[in-house]
Amino acid sequence: MHFTVFLIIGILVQFYTQFWQFNFQESFLIFLFFALLLLIKNRFFTTILTAFIFFNLGVFAVFITDDVNYDNYYQHHLKEEESVVLKIKKVLKSGNYSNKYKAEVIQIKQQKTMGTVLLNVQKDSFGKLLNVDDLICLKPEFLEINLPLNPHQFNYKAYLAKQGIHQQIFTENNRFLKLESKNFSPLGLSAKFRGLVQASLKKYHFKEDELSVINALLLGQRQDISKELIANYSKAGAIHILAVSGLHVGVILLILSFIFKPLERFKNGKYLKLFIIILFLWMFAFIAGLSASVLRAVTMFTFLAVGFTFKKKNVVFFSLVSSLFLLLIIKPMFLFDVGFQLSYLAVFAIIWVQPKLYQLMQPKLKILDKMWQLFTVSIAAQVGILPLSIYYFEQIPGLFLVSNLVIIPVLMYILIGGILVIFTSLLNILPQFLADLYGVVISWMNSFVRWISQQETFLFKEISMSFLWMLAWYAFIILGVDFLMHKKAKKLIIVLIVILGVQGIYFFEKKINLNKEEIIVFHKSKSSIIGKRIGSNLLLQHNLDSIGFKDDFSIKSYRISEGISEIKSVNFQHFTRFKNKNIMLVDSLGVYALKHVENPIIILQYSPKINLERLIRALKPRQIIADGSNYKSYIFRWKETSRKQKTPFYYTGKNGAYVLKN
């Protein structure tokens, strides 16, 4: 565990600082030197040196898995109008206007290369979807991935960067050539098998939602699930059901252990059982697409299966830490994956907290005992993930216990039934009535989740939590549980100190928010939203209707994250002041003739027909801002004029929301 902690610290330091810039040969020699120092027999020195080695192991793991550090990384060989060969690695969920793929740049002209990009292919009625392992040749323009354009919105650029994707390509079906290829990767073979399964299932007339849930539960494919269905599962606290993860693999491990238990009667039968279980687990990983979440879960439960076989002390904990260590060595960027964080926190909490909770009550009736076990497992898991889930998702599904108590007990039978449905459908021996029955079960589960999600009273939404406050809550949970287990006076004092720390961080951040003042020019295409924030109040001038204003995500995310208690619609009447700065709004009327206004900040909105050069000479503005309500042709012209007049120009559609702070 200590080695893993230092490994994690090394991963974090290298990712955020990129200080390690040695080549691979130098890195090896450095590690060899430190390894030889371990021969010095001094306990204190060896302990410090070991911690340092594992810290550097985390640093090197990030360095060696980053494609950018290799000479054949594609960006080192980019030239204009060069032909590029891409290999499709993963089919992503499509957007409104394009199909999205994760693609590897394997060749630029005659140069073999490496590196991953996001490929966007414009949707049309005639173009066919690309598949994993397809090769295409094109002459693309590599574009940077945009940062979020408004405060507190999801940072897609950072999310992709943690997956090694730094650029994207936009193209159309008639702009690339599909190449013949006879090479298949494990991912490609897995995708082909899933394609066969999906084709065979479509013959049995499953409803759209039924088929999408079957694909998610058994094949690890969530691309076809509707936004409404995902929202229902999220509100019900059952979104983990739709992602093949530790829950599914754990259930499969239990099923396999039960089926092959008779093998233990034979000599060395337990080792044969272990081999068969691991084989089947990795076969399931292959069927489910070898995605990151599946690989994590199967690796974790492979270690658990080995540990249970040899019946070592603290087997569950050591197996979990070992799988965590191995995964982070091989794929250090897993550390930044939300699913990875939630999975391991949940399992750690179950291992640590659930046994103590279960001992509080031991029902004599078997069915009540099973329900109590499931209840304590759900509570323990929620204790482990609650602060992190609030930090990421800003909500608490209050009925998660109800949904889990109903769904999880039947999940085993749903998985067994699903596996049987898949293989019998592939063999064309699945009776239609069994397919209909399985579809009804999936529909009942969807309906139950929908009903749970509609109980809005029990869904606690719009809860904001800072990173620092989240860490403080985890300190309180860990130390609080430790005190309840051991009940010592010193531990109680520490818990009380941590409570003061949690309260202190809350009031400190609240005070900062109450004293914060700023002007925000939000970006929204074809609209203008300008805000003046004073403490916990936000004054907004906008052109949105009541429905658009209520549903606008840029305003909502800002309000929740910044702790805004009240929003008022105002009209600044073309002018406002902020901290001795004059701010002038020039709209479609083009009116700006205000006297005694020196060096204002000019906000252009609704495409005013003005002579910008004359405005600059007359008012000498310190900054010109154009928001999303302006025509792009005007923006290009204004930008060029500002450049010639040596006046700073800011366009929210490229640079993001403009924020002027106190």
Side-chain angles (χ1 to χ4, degrees), residues 514-538:
L514 287 173
N515 293 329
K516 186 180 281 189
E517 296 182 13
E518 58 189 18
I519 294 286
I520 315 103
V521 183
F522 294 93
H523 178 79
K524 187 172 179 65
S525 180
K526 301 179 182 178
S527 298
S528 179
I529 307 173
I530 301 170
K532 188 174 186 178
R533 187 250 180 92
I534 304 172
S536 61
N537 297 319
L538 181 63

PDB file of all heavy atoms in Angstrom, residues 514-538:
ATOM      1  N   LEU A 514     -18.820  35.576  -1.138  1.00  0.00           N
ATOM      2  CA  LEU A 514     -19.608  36.760  -0.789  1.00  0.00           C
ATOM      3  C   LEU A 514     -18.869  38.057  -1.124  1.00  0.00           C
ATOM      4  O   LEU A 514     -19.500  39.094  -1.358  1.00  0.00           O
ATOM      5  CB  LEU A 514     -19.970  36.731   0.696  1.00  0.00           C
ATOM      6  CG  LEU A 514     -21.038  35.704   1.112  1.00  0.00           C
ATOM      7  CD1 LEU A 514     -21.183  35.669   2.627  1.00  0.00           C
ATOM      8  CD2 LEU A 514     -22.379  36.013   0.454  1.00  0.00           C
ATOM      9  N   ASN A 515     -17.543  38.007  -1.139  1.00  0.00           N
ATOM     10  CA  ASN A 515     -16.741  39.197  -1.438  1.00  0.00           C
ATOM     11  C   ASN A 515     -16.332  39.286  -2.909  1.00  0.00           C
ATOM     12  O   ASN A 515     -15.681  40.251  -3.314  1.00  0.00           O
ATOM     13  CB  ASN A 515     -15.477  39.221  -0.571  1.00  0.00           C
ATOM     14  CG  ASN A 515     -15.803  39.424   0.900  1.00  0.00           C
ATOM     15  OD1 ASN A 515     -16.783  40.090   1.232  1.00  0.00           O
ATOM     16  ND2 ASN A 515     -15.003  38.845   1.779  1.00  0.00           N
ATOM     17  N   LYS A 516     -16.724  38.290  -3.695  1.00  0.00           N
ATOM     18  CA  LYS A 516     -16.298  38.264  -5.089  1.00  0.00           C
ATOM     19  C   LYS A 516     -17.173  39.179  -5.943  1.00  0.00           C
ATOM     20  O   LYS A 516     -18.401  39.161  -5.837  1.00  0.00           O
ATOM     21  CB  LYS A 516     -16.341  36.830  -5.647  1.00  0.00           C
ATOM     22  CG  LYS A 516     -15.777  36.694  -7.049  1.00  0.00           C
ATOM     23  CD  LYS A 516     -15.855  35.262  -7.547  1.00  0.00           C
ATOM     24  CE  LYS A 516     -14.764  34.401  -6.992  1.00  0.00           C
ATOM     25  NZ  LYS A 516     -14.720  33.063  -7.653  1.00  0.00           N
ATOM     26  N   GLU A 517     -16.529  39.941  -6.784  1.00  0.00           N
ATOM     27  CA  GLU A 517     -17.240  40.788  -7.753  1.00  0.00           C
ATOM     28  C   GLU A 517     -16.557  40.631  -9.107  1.00  0.00           C
ATOM     29  O   GLU A 517     -15.325  40.637  -9.184  1.00  0.00           O
ATOM     30  CB  GLU A 517     -17.225  42.255  -7.312  1.00  0.00           C
ATOM     31  CG  GLU A 517     -17.978  42.516  -6.016  1.00  0.00           C
ATOM     32  CD  GLU A 517     -17.984  43.992  -5.639  1.00  0.00           C
ATOM     33  OE1 GLU A 517     -17.614  44.823  -6.502  1.00  0.00           O
ATOM     34  OE2 GLU A 517     -18.334  44.307  -4.491  1.00  0.00           O
ATOM     35  N   GLU A 518     -17.353  40.518 -10.162  1.00  0.00           N
ATOM     36  CA  GLU A 518     -16.779  40.362 -11.493  1.00  0.00           C
ATOM     37  C   GLU A 518     -17.813  40.633 -12.574  1.00  0.00           C
ATOM     38  O   GLU A 518     -19.017  40.567 -12.333  1.00  0.00           O
ATOM     39  CB  GLU A 518     -16.181  38.961 -11.668  1.00  0.00           C
ATOM     40  CG  GLU A 518     -17.134  37.823 -11.451  1.00  0.00           C
ATOM     41  CD  GLU A 518     -16.437  36.468 -11.413  1.00  0.00           C
ATOM     42  OE1 GLU A 518     -15.213  36.426 -11.220  1.00  0.00           O
ATOM     43  OE2 GLU A 518     -17.119  35.440 -11.575  1.00  0.00           O
ATOM     44  N   ILE A 519     -17.301  40.936 -13.752  1.00  0.00           N
ATOM     45  CA  ILE A 519     -18.114  41.060 -14.959  1.00  0.00           C
ATOM     46  C   ILE A 519     -17.827  39.846 -15.830  1.00  0.00           C
ATOM     47  O   ILE A 519     -16.672  39.488 -16.041  1.00  0.00           O
ATOM     48  CB  ILE A 519     -17.773  42.348 -15.736  1.00  0.00           C
ATOM     49  CG1 ILE A 519     -18.177  43.589 -14.927  1.00  0.00           C
ATOM     50  CG2 ILE A 519     -18.455  42.360 -17.103  1.00  0.00           C
ATOM     51  CD1 ILE A 519     -19.660  43.862 -14.880  1.00  0.00           C
ATOM     52  N   ILE A 520     -18.877  39.199 -16.313  1.00  0.00           N
ATOM     53  CA  ILE A 520     -18.714  38.011 -17.159  1.00  0.00           C
ATOM     54  C   ILE A 520     -19.461  38.212 -18.471  1.00  0.00           C
ATOM     55  O   ILE A 520     -20.665  38.499 -18.458  1.00  0.00           O
ATOM     56  CB  ILE A 520     -19.246  36.732 -16.488  1.00  0.00           C
ATOM     57  CG1 ILE A 520     -18.791  36.631 -15.035  1.00  0.00           C
ATOM     58  CG2 ILE A 520     -18.789  35.496 -17.253  1.00  0.00           C
ATOM     59  CD1 ILE A 520     -19.877  36.983 -14.070  1.00  0.00           C
ATOM     60  N   VAL A 521     -18.737  38.093 -19.567  1.00  0.00           N
ATOM     61  CA  VAL A 521     -19.372  38.059 -20.883  1.00  0.00           C
ATOM     62  C   VAL A 521     -19.376  36.597 -21.310  1.00  0.00           C
ATOM     63  O   VAL A 521     -18.360  36.060 -21.749  1.00  0.00           O
ATOM     64  CB  VAL A 521     -18.624  38.933 -21.906  1.00  0.00           C
ATOM     65  CG1 VAL A 521     -19.360  38.918 -23.254  1.00  0.00           C
ATOM     66  CG2 VAL A 521     -18.481  40.359 -21.398  1.00  0.00           C
ATOM     67  N   PHE A 522     -20.510  35.924 -21.127  1.00  0.00           N
ATOM     68  CA  PHE A 522     -20.621  34.509 -21.477  1.00  0.00           C
ATOM     69  C   PHE A 522     -20.607  34.338 -22.993  1.00  0.00           C
ATOM     70  O   PHE A 522     -20.935  35.281 -23.736  1.00  0.00           O
ATOM     71  CB  PHE A 522     -21.924  33.917 -20.926  1.00  0.00           C
ATOM     72  CG  PHE A 522     -21.993  33.858 -19.427  1.00  0.00           C
ATOM     73  CD1 PHE A 522     -22.566  34.889 -18.689  1.00  0.00           C
ATOM     74  CD2 PHE A 522     -21.493  32.766 -18.741  1.00  0.00           C
ATOM     75  CE1 PHE A 522     -22.645  34.839 -17.314  1.00  0.00           C
ATOM     76  CE2 PHE A 522     -21.563  32.697 -17.363  1.00  0.00           C
ATOM     77  CZ  PHE A 522     -22.139  33.740 -16.638  1.00  0.00           C
ATOM     78  N   HIS A 523     -20.254  33.121 -23.423  1.00  0.00           N
ATOM     79  CA  HIS A 523     -20.379  32.825 -24.847  1.00  0.00           C
ATOM     80  C   HIS A 523     -21.576  31.929 -25.082  1.00  0.00           C
ATOM     81  O   HIS A 523     -21.704  30.869 -24.465  1.00  0.00           O
ATOM     82  CB  HIS A 523     -19.136  32.123 -25.399  1.00  0.00           C
ATOM     83  CG  HIS A 523     -19.295  31.774 -26.855  1.00  0.00           C
ATOM     84  ND1 HIS A 523     -19.130  32.701 -27.860  1.00  0.00           N
ATOM     85  CD2 HIS A 523     -19.660  30.618 -27.475  1.00  0.00           C
ATOM     86  CE1 HIS A 523     -19.365  32.135 -29.025  1.00  0.00           C
ATOM     87  NE2 HIS A 523     -19.706  30.866 -28.818  1.00  0.00           N
ATOM     88  N   LYS A 524     -22.451  32.366 -25.980  1.00  0.00           N
ATOM     89  CA  LYS A 524     -23.559  31.534 -26.443  1.00  0.00           C
ATOM     90  C   LYS A 524     -23.840  31.920 -27.885  1.00  0.00           C
ATOM     91  O   LYS A 524     -24.062  33.096 -28.192  1.00  0.00           O
ATOM     92  CB  LYS A 524     -24.803  31.722 -25.578  1.00  0.00           C
ATOM     93  CG  LYS A 524     -25.925  30.738 -25.943  1.00  0.00           C
ATOM     94  CD  LYS A 524     -27.058  30.810 -24.959  1.00  0.00           C
ATOM     95  CE  LYS A 524     -28.170  29.843 -25.343  1.00  0.00           C
ATOM     96  NZ  LYS A 524     -27.728  28.433 -25.264  1.00  0.00           N
ATOM     97  N   SER A 525     -23.825  30.929 -28.755  1.00  0.00           N
ATOM     98  CA  SER A 525     -24.024  31.203 -30.179  1.00  0.00           C
ATOM     99  C   SER A 525     -25.375  31.869 -30.425  1.00  0.00           C
ATOM    100  O   SER A 525     -26.411  31.434 -29.900  1.00  0.00           O
ATOM    101  CB  SER A 525     -23.931  29.891 -30.962  1.00  0.00           C
ATOM    102  OG  SER A 525     -24.114  30.116 -32.332  1.00  0.00           O
ATOM    103  N   LYS A 526     -25.354  32.963 -31.191  1.00  0.00           N
ATOM    104  CA  LYS A 526     -26.546  33.718 -31.580  1.00  0.00           C
ATOM    105  C   LYS A 526     -27.264  34.385 -30.410  1.00  0.00           C
ATOM    106  O   LYS A 526     -28.421  34.787 -30.538  1.00  0.00           O
ATOM    107  CB  LYS A 526     -27.527  32.820 -32.349  1.00  0.00           C
ATOM    108  CG  LYS A 526     -26.946  32.205 -33.614  1.00  0.00           C
ATOM    109  CD  LYS A 526     -27.947  31.317 -34.308  1.00  0.00           C
ATOM    110  CE  LYS A 526     -27.328  30.670 -35.546  1.00  0.00           C
ATOM    111  NZ  LYS A 526     -28.270  29.754 -36.243  1.00  0.00           N
ATOM    112  N   SER A 527     -26.587  34.484 -29.279  1.00  0.00           N
ATOM    113  CA  SER A 527     -27.192  35.122 -28.107  1.00  0.00           C
ATOM    114  C   SER A 527     -26.138  35.950 -27.387  1.00  0.00           C
ATOM    115  O   SER A 527     -24.935  35.771 -27.584  1.00  0.00           O
ATOM    116  CB  SER A 527     -27.767  34.080 -27.146  1.00  0.00           C
ATOM    117  OG  SER A 527     -28.785  33.326 -27.756  1.00  0.00           O
ATOM    118  N   SER A 528     -26.644  36.841 -26.547  1.00  0.00           N
ATOM    119  CA  SER A 528     -25.748  37.672 -25.745  1.00  0.00           C
ATOM    120  C   SER A 528     -26.155  37.552 -24.281  1.00  0.00           C
ATOM    121  O   SER A 528     -27.309  37.790 -23.931  1.00  0.00           O
ATOM    122  CB  SER A 528     -25.838  39.135 -26.196  1.00  0.00           C
ATOM    123  OG  SER A 528     -24.985  39.945 -25.415  1.00  0.00           O
ATOM    124  N   ILE A 529     -25.196  37.163 -23.438  1.00  0.00           N
ATOM    125  CA  ILE A 529     -25.432  37.037 -21.997  1.00  0.00           C
ATOM    126  C   ILE A 529     -24.290  37.738 -21.278  1.00  0.00           C
ATOM    127  O   ILE A 529     -23.139  37.304 -21.356  1.00  0.00           O
ATOM    128  CB  ILE A 529     -25.500  35.564 -21.550  1.00  0.00           C
ATOM    129  CG1 ILE A 529     -26.508  34.773 -22.377  1.00  0.00           C
ATOM    130  CG2 ILE A 529     -25.846  35.479 -20.068  1.00  0.00           C
ATOM    131  CD1 ILE A 529     -26.501  33.280 -22.097  1.00  0.00           C
ATOM    132  N   ILE A 530     -24.605  38.826 -20.602  1.00  0.00           N
ATOM    133  CA  ILE A 530     -23.603  39.612 -19.888  1.00  0.00           C
ATOM    134  C   ILE A 530     -24.020  39.700 -18.434  1.00  0.00           C
ATOM    135  O   ILE A 530     -25.149  40.085 -18.122  1.00  0.00           O
ATOM    136  CB  ILE A 530     -23.455  41.011 -20.497  1.00  0.00           C
ATOM    137  CG1 ILE A 530     -23.037  40.891 -21.973  1.00  0.00           C
ATOM    138  CG2 ILE A 530     -22.437  41.839 -19.727  1.00  0.00           C
ATOM    139  CD1 ILE A 530     -23.090  42.188 -22.726  1.00  0.00           C
ATOM    140  N   GLY A 531     -23.127  39.307 -17.538  1.00  0.00           N
ATOM    141  CA  GLY A 531     -23.453  39.270 -16.123  1.00  0.00           C
ATOM    142  C   GLY A 531     -22.571  40.181 -15.293  1.00  0.00           C
ATOM    143  O   GLY A 531     -21.406  40.397 -15.605  1.00  0.00           O
ATOM    144  N   LYS A 532     -23.161  40.695 -14.222  1.00  0.00           N
ATOM    145  CA  LYS A 532     -22.424  41.482 -13.232  1.00  0.00           C
ATOM    146  C   LYS A 532     -22.650  40.817 -11.883  1.00  0.00           C
ATOM    147  O   LYS A 532     -23.767  40.830 -11.361  1.00  0.00           O
ATOM    148  CB  LYS A 532     -22.911  42.928 -13.222  1.00  0.00           C
ATOM    149  CG  LYS A 532     -22.071  43.858 -12.349  1.00  0.00           C
ATOM    150  CD  LYS A 532     -22.529  45.300 -12.495  1.00  0.00           C
ATOM    151  CE  LYS A 532     -21.619  46.259 -11.743  1.00  0.00           C
ATOM    152  NZ  LYS A 532     -22.051  47.674 -11.918  1.00  0.00           N
ATOM    153  N   ARG A 533     -21.601  40.223 -11.379  1.00  0.00           N
ATOM    154  CA  ARG A 533     -21.717  39.458 -10.139  1.00  0.00           C
ATOM    155  C   ARG A 533     -21.280  40.323  -8.955  1.00  0.00           C
ATOM    156  O   ARG A 533     -20.185  40.893  -8.943  1.00  0.00           O
ATOM    157  CB  ARG A 533     -20.853  38.201 -10.238  1.00  0.00           C
ATOM    158  CG  ARG A 533     -21.039  37.244  -9.062  1.00  0.00           C
ATOM    159  CD  ARG A 533     -19.830  37.207  -8.191  1.00  0.00           C
ATOM    160  NE  ARG A 533     -19.960  36.312  -7.068  1.00  0.00           N
ATOM    161  CZ  ARG A 533     -19.589  35.036  -7.056  1.00  0.00           C
ATOM    162  NH1 ARG A 533     -19.083  34.502  -8.133  1.00  0.00           N
ATOM    163  NH2 ARG A 533     -19.716  34.330  -5.950  1.00  0.00           N
ATOM    164  N   ILE A 534     -22.156  40.422  -7.942  1.00  0.00           N
ATOM    165  CA  ILE A 534     -21.852  41.148  -6.713  1.00  0.00           C
ATOM    166  C   ILE A 534     -22.145  40.203  -5.550  1.00  0.00           C
ATOM    167  O   ILE A 534     -23.306  39.982  -5.197  1.00  0.00           O
ATOM    168  CB  ILE A 534     -22.693  42.432  -6.583  1.00  0.00           C
ATOM    169  CG1 ILE A 534     -22.493  43.328  -7.798  1.00  0.00           C
ATOM    170  CG2 ILE A 534     -22.336  43.177  -5.302  1.00  0.00           C
ATOM    171  CD1 ILE A 534     -23.413  44.520  -7.850  1.00  0.00           C
ATOM    172  N   GLY A 535     -21.102  39.608  -4.988  1.00  0.00           N
ATOM    173  CA  GLY A 535     -21.299  38.641  -3.915  1.00  0.00           C
ATOM    174  C   GLY A 535     -22.044  37.415  -4.416  1.00  0.00           C
ATOM    175  O   GLY A 535     -21.649  36.773  -5.384  1.00  0.00           O
ATOM    176  N   SER A 536     -23.159  37.114  -3.754  1.00  0.00           N
ATOM    177  CA  SER A 536     -23.952  35.942  -4.139  1.00  0.00           C
ATOM    178  C   SER A 536     -25.086  36.309  -5.092  1.00  0.00           C
ATOM    179  O   SER A 536     -25.946  35.476  -5.368  1.00  0.00           O
ATOM    180  CB  SER A 536     -24.538  35.271  -2.885  1.00  0.00           C
ATOM    181  OG  SER A 536     -25.397  36.161  -2.194  1.00  0.00           O
ATOM    182  N   ASN A 537     -25.083  37.541  -5.599  1.00  0.00           N
ATOM    183  CA  ASN A 537     -26.107  37.991  -6.545  1.00  0.00           C
ATOM    184  C   ASN A 537     -25.509  38.133  -7.937  1.00  0.00           C
ATOM    185  O   ASN A 537     -24.361  38.555  -8.091  1.00  0.00           O
ATOM    186  CB  ASN A 537     -26.717  39.326  -6.106  1.00  0.00           C
ATOM    187  CG  ASN A 537     -27.437  39.216  -4.762  1.00  0.00           C
ATOM    188  OD1 ASN A 537     -28.133  38.233  -4.521  1.00  0.00           O
ATOM    189  ND2 ASN A 537     -27.249  40.200  -3.897  1.00  0.00           N
ATOM    190  N   LEU A 538     -26.313  37.801  -8.945  1.00  0.00           N
ATOM    191  CA  LEU A 538     -25.865  37.894 -10.328  1.00  0.00           C
ATOM    192  C   LEU A 538     -26.900  38.674 -11.128  1.00  0.00           C
ATOM    193  O   LEU A 538     -28.069  38.277 -11.210  1.00  0.00           O
ATOM    194  CB  LEU A 538     -25.677  36.496 -10.933  1.00  0.00           C
ATOM    195  CG  LEU A 538     -25.185  36.438 -12.381  1.00  0.00           C
ATOM    196  CD1 LEU A 538     -23.789  37.047 -12.507  1.00  0.00           C
ATOM    197  CD2 LEU A 538     -25.175  34.993 -12.891  1.00  0.00           C
TER     198      LEU A 538
END
